[in-house]
Amino acid sequence: MGPGARASGADAPATRRRLYAYNGGLLWPGRLRRILTLAGYDLRLGRPGGDDWVAVWGKGPRAWRGEAMVERTGASLLRIEDAFLRSLRPGRAGDAPLGILIDGSGVHYDASQPSDLETLLATDPLDDAALLSRARDGIARLQASDISKYSNHDATAEAPPPGYVLVVDQLRGDASVRHSGVGENAFREMLVFAQEEHPGARILIKTHPETAQGLRPGYYGPEHAGDRVSLLSARVSPWKLLDGAVGVYTVSSQLGFEAILAGHRPRVFGRPFYAGWGLSADENPPPHRRRSLTRNQLFAAAMILAPVWYDPCRDRLCRFEEVLDQLEAEVSAYRIDHKGHVAASMRMWKRPFLRRFFGQTKPLRFSAPARAPARARAHGADLLLWGSETAPENKDLTIRRTEDGFLRSRGLGAALVAPLSLVIDDLGNHYDPSRESRLERLIAAPARPDQLARAEALVRRLVRDGLSKYNAGGALPDLPRGHRILVVGQVEDDASVRLGGFGTDNLALLERARAENPGAVILYKPHPDVVAGFRPGAIDSERAATLAEMVLPDADPAALIAAVDEVWTVTSLMGFEALLRGKPVTCLGTPFYAGWGLTRDLGPVCPRRRARPELAALAHAALIAYPRYLDPVSGRLCPPEVVVERLASGQGLPRGRLNRTMSKIQGFWPGYRFFLKR
């Protein structure tokens, strides 16, 4: 096996190897060179020695340069190719790869000689229970997240009615076809076989995306369409297409691999890496592949063991699951943002971070409320509103609301500290129980085992590092002994209190907690924005002293939750943070985390909330599936695990003098029009 055959992507070799290349894509500073450097290679331009390596891109048109140098010098040849999960968009659209295959024996699409991947599939036991469990979870995640090698398909596009036979076209002259052991006749033969073996069935030819865009020709065209045969060029999800197919025919497309993962036994006319292992019906089986594999074993080798995976936010090699975390973050944002947004009535200080959050697919446009609907229609865009801003009566527009996420920043929003997370909701507001929100649907949906495991790991990290929404810190004084109850104050004109508090203010909350717990130690924590004087909600100090043993305006929320026995709140996020830390929580209002059987609810219970999710499922919905996160170091959209690391370390979290000055101005003139779009 070559030096890249068993790279899991998590660890680089201890010694660096000289690697010579004669292709600008490998030599120029960029993603490919960075991955190879992290994998332990020292890229150079020059004449290699007999102990050195020469890199070429697969069996592409310029590979001859490196091959000739190997012939002259006796150096070893290393072939580089994209991994089978590459990026959101193709490389021609400018996206760099998230993973590569480094092969010292051959290349996976050329069955004339064994590649490192083929040797791995043929000789590795592939029987480790943990590895196969990772493979099973990985397949489930790809299907559930609708992620393929490239994932910029139209997630809203519907596949044709089920019952068709799927015939997969490929790019004319592509290396995966040229080296598959067949020629152009295989595509003609494949179409005939599909019709003969499925008499009367509809035949659907899936056009290659680059052919549909007019970039490169395929093997099928309008002349192949007929009564039973039709061409599909729409950007339909591969998983949707596979779900409705009764048969799949391919020469060597990766869609054949995904067909196996989807439970099909595809009819294969070439010799791709996935053929010959008992999982496909092979017209031209590779004679040296005699082993039978399960789809989990095939996936484990091709997606977990063979590739070298790269984390673009942390700038390091990583595991397959971390790449999937990153892709899920990028893909979910792309599917919300691909039409673009027109944002109405956004405060001036928010606009820079809103551009970073929402402008990575198309530029984010800002508009006054009166003009925003017409401008959104003109651009075919969605209308973006902040929080509970009044929505216009425009049924032909998609209206999305954004708000701070639940892991926001190190510092207050009222102090104009930019958030690291935002939530986006096309149904309602998560803090308004009078109507359904997207978060409510996510909480009610069944959670997969891998989602629960990921959420549990994330919560452990939050608890270990003492992280909360604002992470402003603060000392924790000596607390009285006894049964401690933390009562959490809020901003009384906050939308979550107005819409979900049902008239309960901070004083009423504190009085109720004292009345029902006369012998307990009551600790009152006012909201930081109230303490800072930015927002209303203060309780008279003398009255507070008669109801609570201590008032703790500056205590660290995470440390305080850890030190008490239970938490009382109206709708505060600290109730959710207490649940994550295993504390009993009593709610007098109806926050997003109430009504699911995880809290003691003294306020109105939302009748829609009939599901009974476990705590990890609630955490996955609220911290992973619902928000989007922005890495302050790389500037990329990222998974929550990256933001948790940044919040814990402080890396990339500056807070400048301008923010402090502007927050003071806003405190004096909170309604001043300078902060709004005119």
Side-chain angles (χ1 to χ4, degrees), residues 386 400 556 626:
W386 186 269
R400 301 185 188 274
D556 176 67
Y626 189 48

Side-chain angles (χ1 to χ4, degrees), residues 464-487:
R464 186 194 76 185
D465 293 336
L467 297 179
S468 58
K469 182 174 183 178
Y470 294 113
N471 304 289
L476 187 65
D478 292 334
L479 302 176
R481 295 182 178 275
H483 183 83
R484 298 170 182 156
I485 297 178
L486 173 62
V487 178

Side-chain angles (χ1 to χ4, degrees), residues 208-293:
H208 192 279
E210 291 191 28
T211 303
Q213 296 171 35
L215 299 175
R216 297 169 67 185
Y219 289 91
Y220 297 116
E223 68 275 10
H224 294 95
D227 293 338
R228 292 176 54 199
V229 181
S230 59
L231 274 66
L232 178 69
S233 58
R235 296 186 299 117
V236 179
S237 157
W239 298 109
K240 285 183 181 178
L241 282 178
L242 293 169
D243 187 50
V246 296
V248 178
Y249 288 70
T250 184
V251 170
S252 59
S253 169
Q254 183 173 318
L255 199 55
F257 173 51
E258 291 167 345
I260 292 172
L261 303 183
H264 287 279
R265 184 179 175 84
R267 191 86 151 83
V268 180
F269 287 74
R271 293 177 177 178
F273 76 91
Y274 54 82
W277 309 109
L279 295 167
S280 54
D282 303 317
E283 184 67 17
N284 298 286
H288 45 279
R289 298 180 189 173
R290 299 183 178 91
R291 185 183 186 188
S292 293
L293 298 173

Side-chain angles (χ1 to χ4, degrees), residues 439-506:
L439 176 56
E440 196 174 285
R441 284 194 186 178
L442 291 169
I443 295 171
R448 301 189 311 273
D450 64 282
Q451 293 176 321
L452 299 176
R454 183 183 177 191
E456 288 166 353
L458 183 65
V459 170
R460 284 195 298 271
R461 180 71 189 267
L462 293 177
V463 174
R464 186 194 76 185
D465 293 336
L467 297 179
S468 58
K469 182 174 183 178
Y470 294 113
N471 304 289
L476 187 65
D478 292 334
L479 302 176
R481 295 182 178 275
H483 183 83
R484 298 170 182 156
I485 297 178
L486 173 62
V487 178
V488 184
Q490 293 180 248
V491 174
E492 290 183 348
D493 66 351
D494 187 76
S496 70
V497 176
R498 289 188 289 103
L499 299 172
F502 302 99
T504 304
D505 60 15
N506 290 331

Side-chain angles (χ1 to χ4, degrees), residues 58-107:
K59 290 199 170 184
R62 287 179 289 277
W64 64 269
R65 300 172 184 169
E67 292 167 347
M69 185 62 74
V70 167
E71 288 291 327
R72 288 197 295 270
T73 63
S76 300
L77 187 65
L78 209 60
R79 296 190 189 273
I80 315 297
E81 265 289 348
D82 286 330
F84 304 119
L85 196 65
R86 187 193 186 278
S87 51
L88 170 61
R89 291 168 289 250
R92 291 175 184 271
D95 280 13
L98 292 170
I100 58 175
L101 293 166
I102 303 175
D103 202 308
S105 303
V107 66

Side-chain angles (χ1 to χ4, degrees), residues 2-27:
R6 291 306 305 270
S8 67
D11 302 295
T15 58
R16 302 189 69 76
R17 291 159 287 191
R18 290 192 298 270
L19 180 64
Y20 292 81
Y22 312 98
N23 180 325
L26 295 171
L27 286 170

